[in-house]
Amino acid sequence: MKKVLFIVFIPLQLIFAQAEYVSYDHPVYDFLNRMDSRHIISNYNSFELPKTRGQIAGYLKEVILSTGQLDRVDQAFLEDYKIEFEFDLFGTLNNSQRLIGSGEYDLFSDYEKYLYFHSEAGKASIFINLIAEGELMSRNQFKPAINSTSHFRLTGGVIRGTFLNKFGFSIKGTNGKVFGNKKVALLKRELQYNYKLNENPDETFFDETEGYITADFDIVRFRLGRNRIVTGYGSVKSIFSDNSPLFDNISFDINYRFLQFSYFHGKLLGDVYYAPDSITGGSNVITEKYIGYHRLGFNISKHFSFGVGEMIIYGDRPMDLSYLNPFNFYKSVEHSNRDRDNALLFFDVKNNSVKGLQFFGNLIIDDISFSKISTGWWGNQFLVNVGLFSSNLYDFLPLDFRIEYLRIEPYTFTHRLSRNTYTNFGYSLGPDLQPNSALFFFKINYRFSSEFVLRTSFAYSVHGANPVNTDGSVRNVGGDINLGHRLFDSDTSVFLDGDRQYSREYSVDLYYEPINLMTITLSSVLTFSSLQNSLIEKQLFTFLDLSIRF
């Protein structure tokens, strides 16, 4: 795609650190994960995203020094990233164009394009882009036969910059409108919990914003703002995913050779209820809720790393200084705070000793009583996530695949107090899967070229849903994240007890980038679901997305 002549005038040893973060869903992370599996880069922590442009430039520098080990398609990807991250790598903008303040601008060229940019070496850099996106969505239900369509359009912009190579910022804002069947539009998760769009049934307008400021001192980084954080190995993020609304947070991390420490404290949306008032007309009330997270990671060797961390959920009171302290044991602090909160412990591990093959695992302990292990006690709550990523066919085919298994025990992520559930606005902070569930996931990526990528996946899940009695009451078997254990519920639980729901999902994604910063994505998802009350659903979802940045 990008045939622009790229000449490097600056030694590769020099990196112009940019403190802005690159969104967690950027394709460069797939590229870096592949480079990590091929032993081309080292100390790459794929467990926590996003990363700064400076960090990514550091990894790309390693790849540039090993270009001969890349296949034809990845060499093309690397040339693309040299253009996109040119300023971060080399401090130049030779392959960039701007609409304002420049005599040359071609929307259909393969240069990196901006509405405006300004840079002064070592002092400041500012980049401004406009965003336009449109997506067509359809849902075809086979029995009964129902076909519905919808589409939305959004426009917006993003401003980002770095000062003194240390301090960065980013501001992004979008506005959009839904056309057609609103229920189909709500298939997009980010629209499901959008306040403006769901304010009333007739509303079709939505908006979203994110932004942050950062201070990057290489080994230590600080951030204050609102952007998406994802945590966990593999495609199914087991700790933090994009399943729930964005939340504001303060964070910092330390990266020094074999040691990594990361921390953030964020504000969530708790229980929602309506407070009537005969004078004002009433209002929606949302209880205060917060989350703390910290992790200590170790790169034991070039191909083996592990980490241990904690999370704390608390609410219905002001921000707690006990959890603002990053260097604390949350579980012990929670005890000293009189056991009012919900502490979770996790372990993660990754091994890449075999070139082209990564094994990873993650264990979350929500609660445990060692004396009651194997007794079926409901309070032993775990999540287990294991999988592998393979690029072993790299020398013969531009193909990689991954296999993952996820098991969430009954009552995991729940709490007897609703303010302490592992949720944000009622949505799980982790995977889009209820407690008392198991998931098998398989995915293949085939890279025809740097412009055209095919992704296919298959997911099979089983969920033990809480049965509904004839009188309307619920028998709690630990299958609902928003319903914790009650005093009259059974003291024992059985994995996948309740009304079993089965789901098989086949998906195909075609990603095409005909010119730089213009992407077309066609996605089809075929689902077979067996729900409660013997309801069988067969549905086909289709999404066609066009995104332009200029």
Side-chain angles (χ1 to χ4, degrees), residues 125-151:
S125 62
I126 296 177
F127 299 88
I128 303 175
N129 277 104
L130 296 181
I131 301 169
E133 182 178 355
E135 183 161 343
L136 175 65
M137 297 166 283
S138 70
R139 179 177 64 184
N140 299 308
Q141 185 171 304
F142 293 87
K143 290 184 180 180
I146 300 175
N147 299 323
S148 305
T149 62
S150 177
H151 73 278

Side-chain angles (χ1 to χ4, degrees), residues 219-415:
I219 294 178
V220 180
R221 297 179 180 88
F222 300 87
R223 183 182 67 233
L224 168 63
R226 175 186 181 87
N227 67 322
R228 179 72 68 184
I229 299 172
V230 297
T231 305
Y233 291 118
S235 295
V236 184
K237 303 300 182 183
S238 54
I239 295 183
F240 296 110
S241 71
D242 59 358
N243 185 53
S244 74
L246 287 169
F247 58 85
D248 297 276
N249 63 89
I250 55 175
S251 70
F252 88 90
D253 58 86
I254 301 172
N255 288 274
Y256 181 72
R257 296 183 180 178
F258 69 91
L259 183 144
Q260 300 163 341
F261 180 81
S262 51
Y263 160 86
F264 76 79
H265 191 283
K267 182 184 183 303
L268 307 176
L269 298 175
D271 296 333
V272 181
Y273 62 92
Y274 181 77
D277 188 292
S278 59
I279 298 177
T280 64
S283 63
N284 291 321
V285 178
I286 303 178
T287 58
E288 298 297 330
K289 186 173 182 178
Y290 301 94
I291 181 170
Y293 165 93
H294 58 191
R295 173 184 179 268
L296 186 62
F298 299 92
N299 296 319
I300 300 301
S301 67
K302 186 177 180 179
H303 308 306
F304 178 77
S305 62
F306 75 92
V308 57
E310 289 181 296
M311 295 167 287
I312 190 76
I313 302 284
Y314 68 99
D316 204 21
R317 69 179 191 268
M319 192 178 294
D320 196 323
L321 290 176
S322 303
Y323 304 127
L324 281 176
N325 178 5
F327 304 105
N328 248 339
F329 289 108
Y330 287 158
K331 189 62 177 178
S332 296
V333 171
E334 193 255 346
H335 287 161
S336 65
N337 280 342
R338 300 302 180 260
D339 200 17
R340 294 175 292 164
D341 310 319
N342 184 15
L344 301 90
L345 176 68
F346 69 87
F347 303 89
D348 63 84
V349 62
K350 183 180 75 170
N351 179 265
N352 192 30
S353 298
V354 179
K355 185 178 181 179
L357 193 62
Q358 288 181 350
F359 296 95
F360 58 84
N362 184 40
L363 170 66
I364 299 177
I365 302 175
D366 190 348
D367 203 355
I368 188 172
S369 175
F370 290 101
S371 63
K372 295 181 180 180
I373 291 180
S374 300
T375 65
W377 182 55
W378 70 270
N380 286 333
Q381 303 160 18
F382 303 90
L383 178 149
V384 178
N385 180 211
V386 295
L388 65 87
F389 170 82
S390 173
S391 60
N392 291 102
L393 300 176
Y394 190 84
D395 295 329
F396 309 99
L397 287 173
L399 177 148
D400 53 67
F401 68 88
R402 60 177 69 248
I403 302 172
E404 299 178 39
Y405 171 70
L406 177 68
R407 172 170 171 152
I408 310 178
E409 292 288 330
Y411 293 104
T412 303
F413 294 146
T414 70
H415 197 271

Side-chain angles (χ1 to χ4, degrees), residues 20 56 144 156 211 219 268 295 425 443 486 499 532:
E20 313 101 88
I56 289 176
I219 294 178
L268 307 176
R295 173 184 179 268
F425 197 55
K443 185 175 184 179
R486 302 166 297 188
D499 291 341
Q532 286 177 293

